[in-house]
Amino acid sequence: MDALYIILTSSLFAISCGLLGCFLILRKMAMVGDAISHAVLPGIVIAFLITGTRDSFEMILGAALLGILCTFFIEFFHKKAKLQTDAAIGVTFTSLFALGVILISVFAGQVDLDQECVLYGEIAYVPIDLWISDSGQNMGPKALYVSALTLIVNILFIRVGFKQLYLTTFDPAFAATTGISVALWNYLLMGSVSMTTVAAFDSVGAILVVALLVAPPATAYLLTDNFKKMLLITCLIAIIISILGYHLAVMLDGSIAGAVVAVAGLLFGLAYLFSPSNGILLKRIKQKQEAEKLAMTKG
């Protein structure tokens, strides 16, 4: 049963991250997800200092606001200060992350958080962190409920705003002419990334959330040119890497989260080599066959 809880939690978080990651990949903003996953740290600490608990809506809200603020700073430095996008991302997220580390160290006696917990997480603890009702009934792992709720919110967000997200991703200029606010939907997407990142902190950690935001959608991108199929393939990959990653970790007696991401990297490598549409090996085989046909025709 513990294995099922871990695989289910991992799958739900991986799907949540992957669905949002599809939009980030196509907007060429994959590293913004990395920036947000680190930049939300001060928001988490401040929310914890105010509420005194890690299980609060205020903590997710604080992180989401910092994520949006991070996006605003990146846009500001890029457009107003004329910095390159990568430089704007680097300056913003390192500064905010450093602020979060300072807050943790200054309020170490009051904050029940540590950098390793936030960065690496530990999904193996999912089965023992239980939700006990007021009547004393065991309702199961908290992380399972959090991951399911996070996925439902993300699916509703994408379902309701699919047209706006789709247009602002593929053709922002056309979206603006139809009256869609490109900036608003950009900030809404980043707010969703922030909330998903915070929700997944306890289970997989900030660094591994970044991998889940990027690796499954990047693999799906290599396998299809259809966006809706890309979303579905991303979900399938998220489930596969969770199952294979768990069993790899058990076999090696290693980190489950690390094994999940290692499998994701392996699948990306296989797609890069063997994808029917974009695989580099198949492309070269086709080029060689066409060259041979051309040579035979000339001969």
Side-chain angles (χ1 to χ4, degrees):
M1 199 64 183
D2 288 354
L4 180 62
Y5 285 147
I6 292 171
I7 291 172
L8 268 178
T9 304
S10 174
S11 299
L12 294 173
F13 276 133
I15 293 173
S16 289
C17 292
L19 290 175
L20 297 176
C22 288
F23 293 98
L24 295 178
I25 291 280
L26 293 171
R27 289 169 180 242
K28 300 179 180 178
M29 299 176 69
M31 294 314 295
V32 173
D34 182 21
I36 289 176
S37 68
H38 289 75
V40 297
L41 185 58
I44 293 174
V45 178
I46 293 170
F48 183 87
L49 288 171
I50 294 172
T51 63
T53 174
R54 290 189 299 174
D55 301 321
S56 67
F57 173 75
E58 288 81 359
M59 178 168 284
I60 294 178
L61 183 62
L65 291 175
L66 257 293
I68 294 172
L69 184 64
C70 173
T71 308
F72 172 79
F73 280 143
I74 291 171
E75 291 287 320
F76 178 81
F77 290 137
H78 176 56
K79 293 182 177 177
K80 302 296 181 183
K82 306 300 180 185
L83 278 178
Q84 295 294 324
T85 304
D86 55 349
I89 291 173
V91 168
T92 303
F93 96 79
T94 52
S95 300
L96 291 174
F97 184 66
L99 176 62
V101 172
I102 291 171
L103 288 174
I104 288 179
S105 60
V106 170
F107 297 102
Q110 304 173 42
V111 182
D112 184 24
L113 293 169
D114 62 72
Q115 291 95 324
E116 287 193 4
C117 171
V118 172
L119 288 176
Y120 304 115
E122 184 48 83
I123 199 168
Y125 295 156
V126 164
I128 62 174
D129 187 14
L130 303 173
W131 176 22
I132 306 298
S133 68
D134 294 338
S135 61
Q137 185 177 359
N138 183 354
M139 305 296 289
K142 289 181 184 176
L144 193 57
Y145 290 95
V146 174
S147 58
L149 181 62
T150 303
L151 178 59
I152 291 170
V153 171
N154 282 330
I155 289 175
L156 286 176
F157 170 64
I158 293 171
R159 180 70 185 85
V160 172
F162 184 80
K163 176 185 172 184
Q164 291 83 351
L165 288 169
Y166 185 87
L167 287 177
T168 54
T169 296
F170 287 95
D171 196 342
F174 176 73
T177 61
T178 60
I180 297 173
S181 173
V182 177
L184 172 64
W185 283 95
N186 186 43
Y187 288 129
L188 287 175
L189 177 62
M190 295 310 153
S192 297
V193 172
S194 303
M195 287 187 285
T196 302
T197 301
V198 176
F201 267 160
D202 277 345
S203 299
V204 299
I207 291 176
L208 299 180
V209 166
V210 177
L212 296 178
L213 280 168
V214 177
T219 306
Y221 178 77
L222 292 175
L223 296 174
T224 181
D225 296 324
N226 183 296
F227 182 62
K228 289 185 178 178
K229 287 182 180 177
M230 181 179 172
L231 292 172
L232 292 175
I233 293 172
T234 296
C235 296
L236 183 61
I237 292 173
I239 295 170
I240 291 173
I241 63 174
S242 298
I243 296 172
L244 295 182
Y246 173 79
H247 289 290
L248 177 64
V250 171
M251 186 174 68
L252 299 176
D253 192 22
S255 164
I256 297 172
V260 168
V261 178
V263 172
L266 177 63
L267 292 184
F268 175 80
L270 292 174
Y272 175 73
L273 292 175
F274 302 109
S275 166
S277 55
N278 297 301
I280 188 169
L281 285 183
L282 293 182
K283 274 185 178 178
R284 290 187 176 178
I285 291 172
K286 288 179 182 177
Q287 288 172 352
K288 186 178 178 181
Q289 289 174 342
E290 289 175 0
E292 289 175 353
K293 285 181 181 177
L294 185 62
M296 290 176 64
T297 304
K298 288 182 178 179

